[in-house]
């Protein structure tokens, strides 16, 4: 039994030294010193010993048990220390390491252009109004002097949801709704930005969904020169005080007379280049004096009230301002494209 105890001690201490974690160490503890442990087994056999042998073996067994326990405690200390260091190592933050880059989003280029135009007109006393993107045929067409079957309706190929409802093709219905809500005896100064929809096949200059900003100014005795003055101010604030504007006759069912406004080309300062297709001018928006029928349908007496309106496409303005070659870039969420416009 003496050799057995010494062999078990050697074996146990060897096993203890080989353990690599506290869990394995506990298993060694149980295997040797546990209730069913081999040392405990030996001690259970003490009964068969002679009374001379019992104290010798008893003392040896206690020494062996103590030696094994001590080896286990030391090893446990070491393993826990190593465990702690590993934990600390893992948790140690190397403050010299660069932080994980946090990708900040930014204002979409179209939003910043729209906000720039909004601020400009708010400065002129206009209010910003929004309206439903799902519009009725009446407010999207009828109220804007585009009766059923009017050819101009086809120009604005529409996404109809029902016979009555469609995705609005312009933001003009918001102006018509606003005028209607003011029961014909209050001035109107409003701009209306928003998404509009045309059943168009997408290409570099057309998108089935794009943005518009339209404006309306209705009051007593509003004249064409008020429109021209407003557009000239807009062009100079938006594109630079050295820009000239040019108004060309045009036609819209909801304005009479109608014009298109061009600004002098920045690239060639009007001499002609590829950007302005050798014309020296770049078309920016359409406008005109509100058609008397449109005023009437909105409850305004066209003999008392007159007004002007304008409409532009922020997509087109952004493409001109930043030399962007394809309108679809605004809607295809390519971060490489979008982040170019993030304020630093
Ligand atoms: C009411 C009365 C008149 C809004 C107007 C335009 C001219 C115009 C185009 C600009 C770019 C459409 O997206 S675009 O192709 N719009 O040129 N819009 S006048 O006239 C109105 C609107 C509402 C009650």
């Amino acid at each position: 039994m003496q050799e057995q105890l010494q062999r078990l001690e050697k074996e146990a201490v060897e096993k203890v030294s080989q353990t690599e974690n506290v869990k394995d160490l506990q298993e060694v503890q149980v295997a040797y010193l546990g209730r069913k442990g081999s040392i405990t087994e030996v001690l259970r056999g003490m009964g068969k010993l002679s009374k001379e042998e019992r104290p010798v073996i008893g003392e040896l067994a206690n020494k062996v048990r103590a030696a094994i326990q001590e080896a286990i405690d030391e090893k446990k200390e070491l393993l826990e220390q190593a465990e702690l260091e590993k934990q600390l190592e893992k948790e140690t933050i190397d403050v010299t390491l660069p932080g994980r880059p946090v990708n900040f989003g930014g204002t979409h280029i179209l939003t910043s252009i729209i906000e720039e135009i909004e601020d400009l007109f708010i400065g002129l006393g206009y209010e910003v109004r929004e309206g439903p993107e799902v519009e009725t045929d009446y407010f999207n067409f009828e109220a804007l002097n585009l009766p059923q079957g009017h050819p101009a309706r086809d120009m604005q190929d529409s996404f109809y949801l029902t016979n009555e409802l469609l995705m609005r093709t312009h933001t003009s219905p918001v102006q018509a709704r606003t005028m209607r809500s003011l029961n014909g005896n209050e001035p109107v100064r409003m701009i209306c930005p928003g998404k509009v929809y045309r059943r168009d096949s997408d290409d570099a200059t057309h998108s089935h969904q794009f943005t518009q900003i339209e404006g309306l100014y209705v009051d007593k005795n509003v004249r064409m020169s008020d429109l021209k003055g407003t557009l000239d101010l807009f062009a100079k604030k938006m594109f630079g005080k050295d820009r000239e504007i040019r108004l060309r006759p045009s036609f819209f069912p909801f304005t009479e007379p109608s014009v298109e406004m061009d600004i002098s080309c920045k690239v060639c300062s009007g001499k002609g280049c590829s950007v302005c297709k050798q014309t020296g001018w770049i078309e920016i928006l359409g406008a005109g004096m509100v058609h008397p029928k449109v005023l009437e349908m909105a409850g305004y007496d066209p003999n008392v009230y007159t007004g002007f309106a304008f409409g532009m496409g922020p997509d087109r303005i952004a493409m001109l301002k930043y030399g962007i070659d394809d309108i679809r870039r605004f809607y295809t969420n390519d971060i490489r494209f979008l982040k170019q416009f993030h304020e630093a």
Side-chain angles (χ1 to χ4, degrees), residues 14 44 125-126 138 161 174 179 182 205 207 224 246 276 289 292 344:
E14 182 52 36
R44 274 212 194 86
Y126 287 64
Y138 175 79
L161 308 170
V174 181
M179 283 207 291
L182 298 171
T205 54
S207 170
M224 189 72 178
R246 177 178 74 172
C276 60
M289 300 310 287

Side-chain angles (χ1 to χ4, degrees), residues 109-110 113 313-324 330:
I109 177 59
L110 283 180
I113 291 261
D315 321 69
R316 177 171 160 64
I317 291 175
M319 292 171 82
L320 287 168
K321 202 166 178 175
Y322 297 99
I324 296 163
F330 295 124

Side-chain angles (χ1 to χ4, degrees), residues 187-324:
V188 182
R189 284 171 196 49
M190 62 171 288
I191 59 166
C192 177
K195 287 201 277 285
V196 297
Y197 305 82
R198 305 263 173 102
R199 206 153 57 83
D200 231 337
S201 46
D202 292 6
D203 60 22
T205 54
H206 294 83
S207 170
H208 62 282
Q209 182 239 292
F210 61 101
T211 47
Q212 258 192 355
I213 290 189
E214 294 197 0
L216 178 68
Y217 186 112
V218 174
D219 208 334
K220 294 179 180 145
N221 195 17
V222 176
R223 297 180 302 273
M224 189 72 178
S225 53
D226 299 313
L227 171 61
K228 188 171 182 194
T230 303
L231 295 180
D232 188 51
L233 187 74
F234 163 76
K236 286 179 169 46
K237 279 189 178 244
M238 218 27 222
F239 302 101
K241 57 188 175 333
D242 59 344
R243 311 306 285 274
E244 296 308 312
I245 71 166
R246 177 178 74 172
L247 299 183
R248 279 174 296 106
S250 180
F251 171 81
F252 303 104
F254 29 80
T255 50
E256 185 55 45
S258 303
V259 295
E260 262 156 18
M261 182 193 90
D262 306 326
I263 56 172
S264 52
C265 177
K266 187 178 183 73
V267 180
C268 65
S269 356
K271 286 190 279 313
C273 69
S274 61
V275 175
C276 60
K277 302 185 184 66
Q278 312 310 331
T279 65
W281 295 94
I282 295 186
E283 181 193 326
I284 292 292
L285 59 83
M289 300 310 287
V290 180
H291 195 291
K293 275 203 192 133
V294 172
L295 289 170
E296 259 160 11
M297 284 190 274
Y300 282 77
D301 175 352
N303 303 314
V304 177
Y305 284 89
T306 52
F308 64 69
F310 53 84
M312 67 190 89
D315 321 69
R316 177 171 160 64
I317 291 175
M319 292 171 82
L320 287 168
K321 202 166 178 175
Y322 297 99
I324 296 163

